[in-house]
mmCIF file with all atom_site columns, all heavy atoms in Angstrom:
data_model
loop_
_atom_site.group_PDB
_atom_site.id
_atom_site.type_symbol
_atom_site.label_atom_id
_atom_site.label_alt_id
_atom_site.label_comp_id
_atom_site.label_asym_id
_atom_site.label_entity_id
_atom_site.label_seq_id
_atom_site.pdbx_PDB_ins_code
_atom_site.Cartn_x
_atom_site.Cartn_y
_atom_site.Cartn_z
_atom_site.occupancy
_atom_site.B_iso_or_equiv
_atom_site.pdbx_formal_charge
_atom_site.auth_seq_id
_atom_site.auth_comp_id
_atom_site.auth_asym_id
_atom_site.auth_atom_id
_atom_site.pdbx_PDB_model_num
ATOM 1   N N   . GLU A 1 105 ? -5.125 -17.523 7.997  1.00 98.00 ? 105 GLU A N   1
ATOM 2   C CA  . GLU A 1 105 ? -4.048 -16.564 7.822  1.00 98.00 ? 105 GLU A CA  1
ATOM 3   C C   . GLU A 1 105 ? -2.697 -17.185 8.155  1.00 98.00 ? 105 GLU A C   1
ATOM 4   O O   . GLU A 1 105 ? -2.584 -18.095 8.976  1.00 98.00 ? 105 GLU A O   1
ATOM 5   C CB  . GLU A 1 105 ? -4.272 -15.315 8.691  1.00 98.00 ? 105 GLU A CB  1
ATOM 6   C CG  . GLU A 1 105 ? -4.327 -15.581 10.183 1.00 98.00 ? 105 GLU A CG  1
ATOM 7   C CD  . GLU A 1 105 ? -4.534 -14.341 11.009 1.00 98.00 ? 105 GLU A CD  1
ATOM 8   O OE1 . GLU A 1 105 ? -4.129 -13.241 10.533 1.00 98.00 ? 105 GLU A OE1 1
ATOM 9   O OE2 . GLU A 1 105 ? -5.091 -14.439 12.089 1.00 98.00 ? 105 GLU A OE2 1
ATOM 10  N N   . TYR A 1 106 ? -1.678 -16.650 7.466  1.00 98.00 ? 106 TYR A N   1
ATOM 11  C CA  . TYR A 1 106 ? -0.317 -17.104 7.690  1.00 98.00 ? 106 TYR A CA  1
ATOM 12  C C   . TYR A 1 106 ? 0.594  -15.876 7.858  1.00 98.00 ? 106 TYR A C   1
ATOM 13  O O   . TYR A 1 106 ? 0.352  -14.820 7.264  1.00 98.00 ? 106 TYR A O   1
ATOM 14  C CB  . TYR A 1 106 ? 0.199  -17.904 6.511  1.00 98.00 ? 106 TYR A CB  1
ATOM 15  C CG  . TYR A 1 106 ? -0.523 -19.222 6.271  1.00 98.00 ? 106 TYR A CG  1
ATOM 16  C CD1 . TYR A 1 106 ? -1.426 -19.332 5.221  1.00 98.00 ? 106 TYR A CD1 1
ATOM 17  C CD2 . TYR A 1 106 ? -0.285 -20.310 7.098  1.00 98.00 ? 106 TYR A CD2 1
ATOM 18  C CE1 . TYR A 1 106 ? -2.108 -20.518 5.017  1.00 98.00 ? 106 TYR A CE1 1
ATOM 19  C CE2 . TYR A 1 106 ? -0.957 -21.510 6.877  1.00 98.00 ? 106 TYR A CE2 1
ATOM 20  C CZ  . TYR A 1 106 ? -1.870 -21.617 5.826  1.00 98.00 ? 106 TYR A CZ  1
ATOM 21  O OH  . TYR A 1 106 ? -2.545 -22.805 5.646  1.00 98.00 ? 106 TYR A OH  1
ATOM 22  N N   . ASP A 1 107 ? 1.617  -16.056 8.657  1.00 98.00 ? 107 ASP A N   1
ATOM 23  C CA  . ASP A 1 107 ? 2.677  -15.058 8.805  1.00 98.00 ? 107 ASP A CA  1
ATOM 24  C C   . ASP A 1 107 ? 3.746  -15.408 7.797  1.00 98.00 ? 107 ASP A C   1
ATOM 25  O O   . ASP A 1 107 ? 4.400  -16.467 7.901  1.00 98.00 ? 107 ASP A O   1
ATOM 26  C CB  . ASP A 1 107 ? 3.225  -15.070 10.223 1.00 98.00 ? 107 ASP A CB  1
ATOM 27  C CG  . ASP A 1 107 ? 4.361  -14.106 10.454 1.00 98.00 ? 107 ASP A CG  1
ATOM 28  O OD1 . ASP A 1 107 ? 4.688  -13.299 9.566  1.00 98.00 ? 107 ASP A OD1 1
ATOM 29  O OD2 . ASP A 1 107 ? 4.959  -14.166 11.557 1.00 98.00 ? 107 ASP A OD2 1
ATOM 30  N N   . ASP A 1 108 ? 3.980  -14.528 6.825  1.00 97.00 ? 108 ASP A N   1
ATOM 31  C CA  . ASP A 1 108 ? 5.006  -14.836 5.821  1.00 97.00 ? 108 ASP A CA  1
ATOM 32  C C   . ASP A 1 108 ? 6.412  -14.485 6.332  1.00 97.00 ? 108 ASP A C   1
ATOM 33  O O   . ASP A 1 108 ? 7.390  -14.697 5.620  1.00 97.00 ? 108 ASP A O   1
ATOM 34  C CB  . ASP A 1 108 ? 4.725  -14.119 4.489  1.00 97.00 ? 108 ASP A CB  1
ATOM 35  C CG  . ASP A 1 108 ? 4.723  -12.618 4.588  1.00 97.00 ? 108 ASP A CG  1
ATOM 36  O OD1 . ASP A 1 108 ? 5.547  -12.047 5.347  1.00 97.00 ? 108 ASP A OD1 1
ATOM 37  O OD2 . ASP A 1 108 ? 3.884  -11.971 3.908  1.00 97.00 ? 108 ASP A OD2 1
ATOM 38  N N   . ARG A 1 109 ? 6.506  -13.935 7.512  1.00 95.00 ? 109 ARG A N   1
ATOM 39  C CA  . ARG A 1 109 ? 7.778  -13.624 8.177  1.00 95.00 ? 109 ARG A CA  1
ATOM 40  C C   . ARG A 1 109 ? 8.678  -12.722 7.354  1.00 95.00 ? 109 ARG A C   1
ATOM 41  O O   . ARG A 1 109 ? 9.891  -12.745 7.463  1.00 95.00 ? 109 ARG A O   1
ATOM 42  C CB  . ARG A 1 109 ? 8.514  -14.930 8.503  1.00 95.00 ? 109 ARG A CB  1
ATOM 43  C CG  . ARG A 1 109 ? 7.691  -15.965 9.285  1.00 95.00 ? 109 ARG A CG  1
ATOM 44  C CD  . ARG A 1 109 ? 7.893  -15.905 10.769 1.00 95.00 ? 109 ARG A CD  1
ATOM 45  N NE  . ARG A 1 109 ? 7.041  -16.860 11.448 1.00 95.00 ? 109 ARG A NE  1
ATOM 46  C CZ  . ARG A 1 109 ? 7.500  -17.698 12.370 1.00 95.00 ? 109 ARG A CZ  1
ATOM 47  N NH1 . ARG A 1 109 ? 8.773  -17.740 12.661 1.00 95.00 ? 109 ARG A NH1 1
ATOM 48  N NH2 . ARG A 1 109 ? 6.679  -18.511 12.999 1.00 95.00 ? 109 ARG A NH2 1
ATOM 49  N N   . SER A 1 110 ? 8.065  -11.939 6.486  1.00 93.00 ? 110 SER A N   1
ATOM 50  C CA  . SER A 1 110 ? 8.804  -11.003 5.616  1.00 93.00 ? 110 SER A CA  1
ATOM 51  C C   . SER A 1 110 ? 9.780  -11.697 4.704  1.00 93.00 ? 110 SER A C   1
ATOM 52  O O   . SER A 1 110 ? 10.804 -11.138 4.310  1.00 93.00 ? 110 SER A O   1
ATOM 53  C CB  . SER A 1 110 ? 9.531  -9.956  6.463  1.00 93.00 ? 110 SER A CB  1
ATOM 54  O OG  . SER A 1 110 ? 8.601  -9.221  7.250  1.00 93.00 ? 110 SER A OG  1
ATOM 55  N N   . GLN A 1 111 ? 9.471  -12.920 4.293  1.00 95.00 ? 111 GLN A N   1
ATOM 56  C CA  . GLN A 1 111 ? 10.319 -13.702 3.405  1.00 95.00 ? 111 GLN A CA  1
ATOM 57  C C   . GLN A 1 111 ? 9.536  -14.036 2.126  1.00 95.00 ? 111 GLN A C   1
ATOM 58  O O   . GLN A 1 111 ? 8.437  -14.614 2.215  1.00 95.00 ? 111 GLN A O   1
ATOM 59  C CB  . GLN A 1 111 ? 10.806 -14.964 4.081  1.00 95.00 ? 111 GLN A CB  1
ATOM 60  C CG  . GLN A 1 111 ? 11.662 -14.690 5.331  1.00 95.00 ? 111 GLN A CG  1
ATOM 61  C CD  . GLN A 1 111 ? 12.190 -15.973 5.938  1.00 95.00 ? 111 GLN A CD  1
ATOM 62  O OE1 . GLN A 1 111 ? 12.519 -16.920 5.227  1.00 95.00 ? 111 GLN A OE1 1
ATOM 63  N NE2 . GLN A 1 111 ? 12.284 -15.993 7.238  1.00 95.00 ? 111 GLN A NE2 1
ATOM 64  N N   . THR A 1 112 ? 10.118 -13.706 0.999  1.00 94.00 ? 112 THR A N   1
ATOM 65  C CA  . THR A 1 112 ? 9.456  -13.904 -0.271 1.00 94.00 ? 112 THR A CA  1
ATOM 66  C C   . THR A 1 112 ? 9.110  -15.380 -0.488 1.00 94.00 ? 112 THR A C   1
ATOM 67  O O   . THR A 1 112 ? 8.005  -15.704 -0.943 1.00 94.00 ? 112 THR A O   1
ATOM 68  C CB  . THR A 1 112 ? 10.373 -13.435 -1.411 1.00 94.00 ? 112 THR A CB  1
ATOM 69  O OG1 . THR A 1 112 ? 10.815 -12.133 -1.162 1.00 94.00 ? 112 THR A OG1 1
ATOM 70  C CG2 . THR A 1 112 ? 9.568  -13.439 -2.713 1.00 94.00 ? 112 THR A CG2 1
ATOM 71  N N   . GLU A 1 113 ? 10.025 -16.287 -0.170 1.00 97.00 ? 113 GLU A N   1
ATOM 72  C CA  . GLU A 1 113 ? 9.765  -17.718 -0.367 1.00 97.00 ? 113 GLU A CA  1
ATOM 73  C C   . GLU A 1 113 ? 8.566  -18.165 0.445  1.00 97.00 ? 113 GLU A C   1
ATOM 74  O O   . GLU A 1 113 ? 7.801  -19.030 -0.003 1.00 97.00 ? 113 GLU A O   1
ATOM 75  C CB  . GLU A 1 113 ? 11.005 -18.540 -0.021 1.00 97.00 ? 113 GLU A CB  1
ATOM 76  C CG  . GLU A 1 113 ? 12.205 -18.309 -0.914 1.00 97.00 ? 113 GLU A CG  1
ATOM 77  C CD  . GLU A 1 113 ? 12.989 -17.073 -0.567 1.00 97.00 ? 113 GLU A CD  1
ATOM 78  O OE1 . GLU A 1 113 ? 12.618 -16.352 0.385  1.00 97.00 ? 113 GLU A OE1 1
ATOM 79  O OE2 . GLU A 1 113 ? 14.031 -16.804 -1.220 1.00 97.00 ? 113 GLU A OE2 1
ATOM 80  N N   . GLU A 1 114 ? 8.412  -17.602 1.626  1.00 98.00 ? 114 GLU A N   1
ATOM 81  C CA  . GLU A 1 114 ? 7.334  -18.035 2.502  1.00 98.00 ? 114 GLU A CA  1
ATOM 82  C C   . GLU A 1 114 ? 5.962  -17.484 2.074  1.00 98.00 ? 114 GLU A C   1
ATOM 83  O O   . GLU A 1 114 ? 4.945  -18.162 2.221  1.00 98.00 ? 114 GLU A O   1
ATOM 84  C CB  . GLU A 1 114 ? 7.632  -17.614 3.950  1.00 98.00 ? 114 GLU A CB  1
ATOM 85  C CG  . GLU A 1 114 ? 8.873  -18.262 4.528  1.00 98.00 ? 114 GLU A CG  1
ATOM 86  C CD  . GLU A 1 114 ? 8.846  -19.786 4.476  1.00 98.00 ? 114 GLU A CD  1
ATOM 87  O OE1 . GLU A 1 114 ? 7.770  -20.382 4.275  1.00 98.00 ? 114 GLU A OE1 1
ATOM 88  O OE2 . GLU A 1 114 ? 9.903  -20.383 4.579  1.00 98.00 ? 114 GLU A OE2 1
ATOM 89  N N   . VAL A 1 115 ? 5.956  -16.243 1.526  1.00 98.00 ? 115 VAL A N   1
ATOM 90  C CA  . VAL A 1 115 ? 4.671  -15.747 1.061  1.00 98.00 ? 115 VAL A CA  1
ATOM 91  C C   . VAL A 1 115 ? 4.194  -16.520 -0.162 1.00 98.00 ? 115 VAL A C   1
ATOM 92  O O   . VAL A 1 115 ? 3.030  -16.838 -0.300 1.00 98.00 ? 115 VAL A O   1
ATOM 93  C CB  . VAL A 1 115 ? 4.736  -14.225 0.770  1.00 98.00 ? 115 VAL A CB  1
ATOM 94  C CG1 . VAL A 1 115 ? 5.514  -13.925 -0.490 1.00 98.00 ? 115 VAL A CG1 1
ATOM 95  C CG2 . VAL A 1 115 ? 3.322  -13.657 0.652  1.00 98.00 ? 115 VAL A CG2 1
ATOM 96  N N   . VAL A 1 116 ? 5.132  -16.944 -1.012 1.00 98.00 ? 116 VAL A N   1
ATOM 97  C CA  . VAL A 1 116 ? 4.790  -17.752 -2.176 1.00 98.00 ? 116 VAL A CA  1
ATOM 98  C C   . VAL A 1 116 ? 4.277  -19.109 -1.717 1.00 98.00 ? 116 VAL A C   1
ATOM 99  O O   . VAL A 1 116 ? 3.241  -19.590 -2.192 1.00 98.00 ? 116 VAL A O   1
ATOM 100 C CB  . VAL A 1 116 ? 5.990  -17.922 -3.102 1.00 98.00 ? 116 VAL A CB  1
ATOM 101 C CG1 . VAL A 1 116 ? 5.735  -18.966 -4.162 1.00 98.00 ? 116 VAL A CG1 1
ATOM 102 C CG2 . VAL A 1 116 ? 6.328  -16.576 -3.754 1.00 98.00 ? 116 VAL A CG2 1
ATOM 103 N N   . ARG A 1 117 ? 4.950  -19.718 -0.757 1.00 98.00 ? 117 ARG A N   1
ATOM 104 C CA  . ARG A 1 117 ? 4.556  -21.023 -0.264 1.00 98.00 ? 117 ARG A CA  1
ATOM 105 C C   . ARG A 1 117 ? 3.172  -20.949 0.423  1.00 98.00 ? 117 ARG A C   1
ATOM 106 O O   . ARG A 1 117 ? 2.347  -21.844 0.270  1.00 98.00 ? 117 ARG A O   1
ATOM 107 C CB  . ARG A 1 117 ? 5.606  -21.561 0.715  1.00 98.00 ? 117 ARG A CB  1
ATOM 108 C CG  . ARG A 1 117 ? 5.274  -22.945 1.240  1.00 98.00 ? 117 ARG A CG  1
ATOM 109 C CD  . ARG A 1 117 ? 6.485  -23.642 1.833  1.00 98.00 ? 117 ARG A CD  1
ATOM 110 N NE  . ARG A 1 117 ? 7.148  -22.871 2.880  1.00 98.00 ? 117 ARG A NE  1
ATOM 111 C CZ  . ARG A 1 117 ? 8.106  -23.368 3.648  1.00 98.00 ? 117 ARG A CZ  1
ATOM 112 N NH1 . ARG A 1 117 ? 8.551  -24.586 3.460  1.00 98.00 ? 117 ARG A NH1 1
ATOM 113 N NH2 . ARG A 1 117 ? 8.675  -22.606 4.541  1.00 98.00 ? 117 ARG A NH2 1
ATOM 114 N N   . ALA A 1 118 ? 2.946  -19.862 1.157  1.00 98.00 ? 118 ALA A N   1
ATOM 115 C CA  . ALA A 1 118 ? 1.671  -19.721 1.856  1.00 98.00 ? 118 ALA A CA  1
ATOM 116 C C   . ALA A 1 118 ? 0.489  -19.536 0.860  1.00 98.00 ? 118 ALA A C   1
ATOM 117 O O   . ALA A 1 118 ? -0.570 -20.134 1.055  1.00 98.00 ? 118 ALA A O   1
ATOM 118 C CB  . ALA A 1 118 ? 1.742  -18.539 2.825  1.00 98.00 ? 118 ALA A CB  1
ATOM 119 N N   . ILE A 1 119 ? 0.743  -18.775 -0.171 1.00 98.00 ? 119 ILE A N   1
ATOM 120 C CA  . ILE A 1 119 ? -0.310 -18.617 -1.175 1.00 98.00 ? 119 ILE A CA  1
ATOM 121 C C   . ILE A 1 119 ? -0.606 -19.912 -1.882 1.00 98.00 ? 119 ILE A C   1
ATOM 122 O O   . ILE A 1 119 ? -1.792 -20.295 -2.096 1.00 98.00 ? 119 ILE A O   1
ATOM 123 C CB  . ILE A 1 119 ? 0.099  -17.551 -2.248 1.00 98.00 ? 119 ILE A CB  1
ATOM 124 C CG1 . ILE A 1 119 ? 0.244  -16.173 -1.598 1.00 98.00 ? 119 ILE A CG1 1
ATOM 125 C CG2 . ILE A 1 119 ? -0.903 -17.505 -3.385 1.00 98.00 ? 119 ILE A CG2 1
ATOM 126 C CD1 . ILE A 1 119 ? -1.026 -15.603 -0.985 1.00 98.00 ? 119 ILE A CD1 1
#
Side-chain angles (χ1 to χ4, degrees):
E105 60 179 333
Y106 296 104
D107 178 6
D108 62 38
R109 309 264 178 131
S110 299
Q111 297 183 36
T112 310
E113 294 82 358
E114 297 304 342
V115 73
V116 169
R117 182 163 54 173
I119 295 298

